[in-house]
Amino acid sequence: MQTLLFLFNRLPLQVNYYYDRRIAQYIRRHKSEYDIVFCNNIRTAEYVRKLNGIKKAIDFVDAISMNYEKAQKLAHGIKKWIYAIDHKRCLRYERQVLNSFDSCAIISEIDKQYILKCQQTSMS
């Protein structure tokens, strides 16, 4: 992670933490060598989210935004503030990923419905 990068963008903290420009450059240079790119969760989605000319699939694993919403309710002090910020960032980002990937999977119906409900709410 680039030092303090998360302060200057609206990406979720986890996306910022795992992002490396060298990996992004490698993927851009080599994308034509593959039929599809698979991302294991939103942490890796930023590498290909805006790429065109290649099929993209993601396994959300779970709705991180829902986890942060729950954590925010239980947290105190600075953790409550951090969870509140990242809940909003994750929710926005999960919606962006849904709209920019060809295929999406998620572990449970509860997590799926949470993301879809939040997406519909934002579109209304």
Side-chain angles (χ1 to χ4, degrees):
M1 175 178 89
Q2 279 58 33
T3 309
L4 302 177
L5 181 66
F6 72 95
L7 294 173
F8 304 104
N9 67 46
R10 300 178 74 173
L11 295 173
L13 295 176
Q14 290 190 29
V15 174
N16 277 301
Y17 184 77
Y18 286 94
Y19 189 81
D20 186 310
R21 287 188 182 130
R22 294 169 296 180
I23 293 171
Q25 290 169 350
Y26 178 89
I27 291 170
R28 282 193 300 275
R29 279 194 313 268
H30 295 277
K31 73 175 186 168
S32 63
E33 299 171 21
Y34 301 94
D35 296 324
I36 189 168
V37 173
F38 175 79
C39 295
N40 188 40
N41 54 42
I42 67 168
R43 291 175 183 154
T44 58
E46 192 60 19
Y47 291 117
V48 298
R49 184 172 61 92
K50 296 177 184 177
L51 282 184
N52 295 317
I54 190 164
K55 290 190 180 206
K56 300 174 280 194
I58 186 166
D59 181 357
F60 277 90
V61 181
D62 57 5
I64 294 175
S65 58
M66 183 174 70
N67 296 340
Y68 282 161
E69 180 181 39
K70 290 176 183 177
Q72 176 189 354
K73 291 176 184 176
L74 300 173
H76 301 284
I78 194 163
K79 283 187 178 181
K80 187 173 194 75
W81 178 73
I82 290 169
Y83 284 133
I85 290 171
D86 221 34
H87 168 250
K88 291 176 187 172
R89 287 181 178 193
C90 282
L91 198 54
R92 185 181 324 106
Y93 194 73
E94 287 166 343
R95 290 191 301 248
Q96 291 172 346
V97 168
L98 259 180
N99 293 322
S100 56
F101 276 68
D102 301 294
S103 225
C104 301
I106 196 158
I107 197 165
S108 78
E109 188 65 26
I110 293 169
D111 292 74
K112 174 185 171 185
Q113 292 307 319
Y114 182 86
I115 290 175
L116 292 176
K117 179 187 88 170
C118 292
Q119 183 184 30
Q120 290 168 351
T121 302
S122 74
M123 293 169 51
S124 300

